PDB file of all heavy atoms in Angstrom:
ATOM      1  N   ILE A1272       1.823   4.659  -1.614  1.00 98.00           N
ATOM      2  CA  ILE A1272       0.842   4.209  -0.633  1.00 98.00           C
ATOM      3  C   ILE A1272      -0.455   4.908  -1.014  1.00 98.00           C
ATOM      4  O   ILE A1272      -0.486   6.130  -1.188  1.00 98.00           O
ATOM      5  CB  ILE A1272       1.254   4.592   0.806  1.00 98.00           C
ATOM      6  CG1 ILE A1272       2.562   3.913   1.192  1.00 98.00           C
ATOM      7  CG2 ILE A1272       0.135   4.256   1.790  1.00 98.00           C
ATOM      8  CD1 ILE A1272       2.511   2.402   1.289  1.00 98.00           C
ATOM      9  N   ILE A1273      -1.511   4.126  -1.160  1.00 97.00           N
ATOM     10  CA  ILE A1273      -2.815   4.662  -1.544  1.00 97.00           C
ATOM     11  C   ILE A1273      -3.770   4.403  -0.396  1.00 97.00           C
ATOM     12  O   ILE A1273      -3.950   3.246   0.012  1.00 97.00           O
ATOM     13  CB  ILE A1273      -3.356   3.996  -2.839  1.00 97.00           C
ATOM     14  CG1 ILE A1273      -2.436   4.311  -4.024  1.00 97.00           C
ATOM     15  CG2 ILE A1273      -4.768   4.486  -3.144  1.00 97.00           C
ATOM     16  CD1 ILE A1273      -1.305   3.368  -4.198  1.00 97.00           C
ATOM     17  N   ARG A1274      -4.351   5.446   0.122  1.00 96.00           N
ATOM     18  CA  ARG A1274      -5.344   5.320   1.192  1.00 96.00           C
ATOM     19  C   ARG A1274      -6.706   5.606   0.590  1.00 96.00           C
ATOM     20  O   ARG A1274      -6.947   6.699   0.077  1.00 96.00           O
ATOM     21  CB  ARG A1274      -5.071   6.311   2.313  1.00 96.00           C
ATOM     22  CG  ARG A1274      -6.074   6.203   3.446  1.00 96.00           C
ATOM     23  CD  ARG A1274      -5.825   7.288   4.500  1.00 96.00           C
ATOM     24  NE  ARG A1274      -6.838   7.228   5.510  1.00 96.00           N
ATOM     25  CZ  ARG A1274      -8.023   7.833   5.432  1.00 96.00           C
ATOM     26  NH1 ARG A1274      -8.326   8.543   4.372  1.00 96.00           N
ATOM     27  NH2 ARG A1274      -8.895   7.729   6.411  1.00 96.00           N
ATOM     28  N   SER A1275      -7.576   4.612   0.613  1.00 93.00           N
ATOM     29  CA  SER A1275      -8.916   4.803   0.062  1.00 93.00           C
ATOM     30  C   SER A1275      -9.916   5.083   1.174  1.00 93.00           C
ATOM     31  O   SER A1275      -9.642   4.852   2.355  1.00 93.00           O
ATOM     32  CB  SER A1275      -9.342   3.568  -0.743  1.00 93.00           C
ATOM     33  OG  SER A1275      -9.566   2.480   0.117  1.00 93.00           O
ATOM     34  N   ASP A1276     -11.068   5.552   0.790  1.00 88.00           N
ATOM     35  CA  ASP A1276     -12.096   5.913   1.759  1.00 88.00           C
ATOM     36  C   ASP A1276     -12.733   4.684   2.393  1.00 88.00           C
ATOM     37  O   ASP A1276     -12.953   4.643   3.594  1.00 88.00           O
ATOM     38  CB  ASP A1276     -13.157   6.767   1.060  1.00 88.00           C
ATOM     39  CG  ASP A1276     -14.240   7.249   2.001  1.00 88.00           C
ATOM     40  OD1 ASP A1276     -13.925   7.519   3.171  1.00 88.00           O
ATOM     41  OD2 ASP A1276     -15.399   7.352   1.581  1.00 88.00           O
ATOM     42  N   ARG A1277     -13.021   3.668   1.597  1.00 86.00           N
ATOM     43  CA  ARG A1277     -13.748   2.493   2.091  1.00 86.00           C
ATOM     44  C   ARG A1277     -13.006   1.177   1.931  1.00 86.00           C
ATOM     45  O   ARG A1277     -13.438   0.177   2.470  1.00 86.00           O
ATOM     46  CB  ARG A1277     -15.079   2.372   1.346  1.00 86.00           C
ATOM     47  CG  ARG A1277     -15.989   3.516   1.619  1.00 86.00           C
ATOM     48  CD  ARG A1277     -17.321   3.329   0.908  1.00 86.00           C
ATOM     49  NE  ARG A1277     -17.923   4.630   0.756  1.00 86.00           N
ATOM     50  CZ  ARG A1277     -18.234   5.182  -0.395  1.00 86.00           C
ATOM     51  NH1 ARG A1277     -18.029   4.535  -1.503  1.00 86.00           N
ATOM     52  NH2 ARG A1277     -18.755   6.381  -0.441  1.00 86.00           N
ATOM     53  N   PHE A1278     -11.914   1.159   1.193  1.00 88.00           N
ATOM     54  CA  PHE A1278     -11.288  -0.113   0.850  1.00 88.00           C
ATOM     55  C   PHE A1278      -9.917  -0.328   1.474  1.00 88.00           C
ATOM     56  O   PHE A1278      -9.240  -1.283   1.154  1.00 88.00           O
ATOM     57  CB  PHE A1278     -11.208  -0.258  -0.675  1.00 88.00           C
ATOM     58  CG  PHE A1278     -12.552  -0.190  -1.327  1.00 88.00           C
ATOM     59  CD1 PHE A1278     -12.907   0.921  -2.075  1.00 88.00           C
ATOM     60  CD2 PHE A1278     -13.466  -1.205  -1.172  1.00 88.00           C
ATOM     61  CE1 PHE A1278     -14.155   1.004  -2.668  1.00 88.00           C
ATOM     62  CE2 PHE A1278     -14.717  -1.131  -1.757  1.00 88.00           C
ATOM     63  CZ  PHE A1278     -15.063  -0.026  -2.505  1.00 88.00           C
ATOM     64  N   GLY A1279      -9.458   0.558   2.313  1.00 95.00           N
ATOM     65  CA  GLY A1279      -8.216   0.332   3.021  1.00 95.00           C
ATOM     66  C   GLY A1279      -7.018   1.057   2.451  1.00 95.00           C
ATOM     67  O   GLY A1279      -7.135   2.052   1.736  1.00 95.00           O
ATOM     68  N   VAL A1280      -5.843   0.508   2.765  1.00 98.00           N
ATOM     69  CA  VAL A1280      -4.564   1.099   2.393  1.00 98.00           C
ATOM     70  C   VAL A1280      -3.817   0.107   1.507  1.00 98.00           C
ATOM     71  O   VAL A1280      -3.779  -1.095   1.802  1.00 98.00           O
ATOM     72  CB  VAL A1280      -3.726   1.429   3.656  1.00 98.00           C
ATOM     73  CG1 VAL A1280      -2.351   1.935   3.289  1.00 98.00           C
ATOM     74  CG2 VAL A1280      -4.463   2.442   4.529  1.00 98.00           C
ATOM     75  N   TYR A1281      -3.209   0.612   0.438  1.00 98.00           N
ATOM     76  CA  TYR A1281      -2.516  -0.241  -0.535  1.00 98.00           C
ATOM     77  C   TYR A1281      -1.111   0.267  -0.802  1.00 98.00           C
ATOM     78  O   TYR A1281      -0.846   1.462  -0.750  1.00 98.00           O
ATOM     79  CB  TYR A1281      -3.288  -0.279  -1.864  1.00 98.00           C
ATOM     80  CG  TYR A1281      -4.618  -0.955  -1.704  1.00 98.00           C
ATOM     81  CD1 TYR A1281      -5.733  -0.232  -1.309  1.00 98.00           C
ATOM     82  CD2 TYR A1281      -4.746  -2.322  -1.891  1.00 98.00           C
ATOM     83  CE1 TYR A1281      -6.948  -0.853  -1.100  1.00 98.00           C
ATOM     84  CE2 TYR A1281      -5.960  -2.951  -1.687  1.00 98.00           C
ATOM     85  CZ  TYR A1281      -7.060  -2.208  -1.296  1.00 98.00           C
ATOM     86  OH  TYR A1281      -8.250  -2.834  -1.077  1.00 98.00           O
ATOM     87  N   ILE A1293      -8.907   5.189  -9.610  1.00 95.00           N
ATOM     88  CA  ILE A1293      -7.473   4.972  -9.688  1.00 95.00           C
ATOM     89  C   ILE A1293      -7.259   3.496 -10.009  1.00 95.00           C
ATOM     90  O   ILE A1293      -7.920   2.635  -9.442  1.00 95.00           O
ATOM     91  CB  ILE A1293      -6.758   5.398  -8.384  1.00 95.00           C
ATOM     92  CG1 ILE A1293      -5.255   5.354  -8.557  1.00 95.00           C
ATOM     93  CG2 ILE A1293      -7.217   4.579  -7.196  1.00 95.00           C
ATOM     94  CD1 ILE A1293      -4.483   6.037  -7.433  1.00 95.00           C
ATOM     95  N   ASN A1300      -2.553  -5.099  -0.326  1.00 98.00           N
ATOM     96  CA  ASN A1300      -3.325  -4.438   0.717  1.00 98.00           C
ATOM     97  C   ASN A1300      -2.537  -4.468   2.023  1.00 98.00           C
ATOM     98  O   ASN A1300      -2.033  -5.509   2.431  1.00 98.00           O
ATOM     99  CB  ASN A1300      -4.668  -5.152   0.896  1.00 98.00           C
ATOM    100  CG  ASN A1300      -5.485  -4.569   2.026  1.00 98.00           C
ATOM    101  OD1 ASN A1300      -5.762  -5.247   2.995  1.00 98.00           O
ATOM    102  ND2 ASN A1300      -5.870  -3.316   1.896  1.00 98.00           N
ATOM    103  N   ILE A1335      -9.889   1.254  -7.820  1.00 95.00           N
ATOM    104  CA  ILE A1335     -10.552   1.815  -6.648  1.00 95.00           C
ATOM    105  C   ILE A1335     -11.296   3.063  -7.102  1.00 95.00           C
ATOM    106  O   ILE A1335     -10.755   3.890  -7.821  1.00 95.00           O
ATOM    107  CB  ILE A1335      -9.522   2.171  -5.547  1.00 95.00           C
ATOM    108  CG1 ILE A1335      -8.789   0.912  -5.088  1.00 95.00           C
ATOM    109  CG2 ILE A1335     -10.207   2.858  -4.382  1.00 95.00           C
ATOM    110  CD1 ILE A1335      -7.679   1.184  -4.098  1.00 95.00           C
ATOM    111  N   THR A1336     -12.535   3.183  -6.644  1.00 92.00           N
ATOM    112  CA  THR A1336     -13.359   4.301  -7.103  1.00 92.00           C
ATOM    113  C   THR A1336     -13.498   5.415  -6.085  1.00 92.00           C
ATOM    114  O   THR A1336     -14.201   6.380  -6.331  1.00 92.00           O
ATOM    115  CB  THR A1336     -14.774   3.805  -7.478  1.00 92.00           C
ATOM    116  OG1 THR A1336     -15.333   3.143  -6.349  1.00 92.00           O
ATOM    117  CG2 THR A1336     -14.715   2.863  -8.661  1.00 92.00           C
ATOM    118  N   ASP A1337     -12.812   5.299  -4.966  1.00 82.00           N
ATOM    119  CA  ASP A1337     -12.963   6.344  -3.953  1.00 82.00           C
ATOM    120  C   ASP A1337     -11.620   6.739  -3.347  1.00 82.00           C
ATOM    121  O   ASP A1337     -11.527   6.960  -2.156  1.00 82.00           O
ATOM    122  CB  ASP A1337     -13.907   5.872  -2.847  1.00 82.00           C
ATOM    123  CG  ASP A1337     -13.297   4.752  -2.020  1.00 82.00           C
ATOM    124  OD1 ASP A1337     -12.405   4.051  -2.529  1.00 82.00           O
ATOM    125  OD2 ASP A1337     -13.684   4.597  -0.859  1.00 82.00           O
ATOM    126  N   ASN A1338     -10.598   6.852  -4.181  1.00 72.00           N
ATOM    127  CA  ASN A1338      -9.280   7.149  -3.636  1.00 72.00           C
ATOM    128  C   ASN A1338      -9.275   8.472  -2.874  1.00 72.00           C
ATOM    129  O   ASN A1338      -9.960   9.413  -3.225  1.00 72.00           O
ATOM    130  CB  ASN A1338      -8.206   7.134  -4.722  1.00 72.00           C
ATOM    131  CG  ASN A1338      -8.459   8.150  -5.795  1.00 72.00           C
ATOM    132  OD1 ASN A1338      -9.508   8.159  -6.411  1.00 72.00           O
ATOM    133  ND2 ASN A1338      -7.500   9.015  -6.027  1.00 72.00           N
ATOM    134  N   VAL A1339      -8.526   8.489  -1.819  1.00 83.00           N
ATOM    135  CA  VAL A1339      -8.460   9.665  -0.976  1.00 83.00           C
ATOM    136  C   VAL A1339      -7.069  10.284  -1.015  1.00 83.00           C
ATOM    137  O   VAL A1339      -6.919  11.480  -1.138  1.00 83.00           O
ATOM    138  CB  VAL A1339      -8.830   9.306   0.485  1.00 83.00           C
ATOM    139  CG1 VAL A1339      -8.596  10.479   1.407  1.00 83.00           C
ATOM    140  CG2 VAL A1339     -10.263   8.838   0.563  1.00 83.00           C
ATOM    141  N   MET A1340      -6.032   9.440  -0.940  1.00 95.00           N
ATOM    142  CA  MET A1340      -4.681   9.943  -0.800  1.00 95.00           C
ATOM    143  C   MET A1340      -3.703   9.046  -1.550  1.00 95.00           C
ATOM    144  O   MET A1340      -3.804   7.823  -1.467  1.00 95.00           O
ATOM    145  CB  MET A1340      -4.335   9.943   0.695  1.00 95.00           C
ATOM    146  CG  MET A1340      -3.027  10.553   1.045  1.00 95.00           C
ATOM    147  SD  MET A1340      -2.670  10.419   2.839  1.00 95.00           S
ATOM    148  CE  MET A1340      -4.005  11.316   3.573  1.00 95.00           C
TER     149      MET A1340
END
Side-chain angles (χ1 to χ4, degrees):
I1272 297 295
I1273 296 87
R1274 180 184 176 274
S1275 70
D1276 183 34
R1277 296 182 203 120
F1278 301 109
V1280 175
Y1281 294 87
I1293 188 168
N1300 176 243
I1335 298 175
T1336 56
D1337 69 336
N1338 60 304
V1339 173
M1340 186 183 299

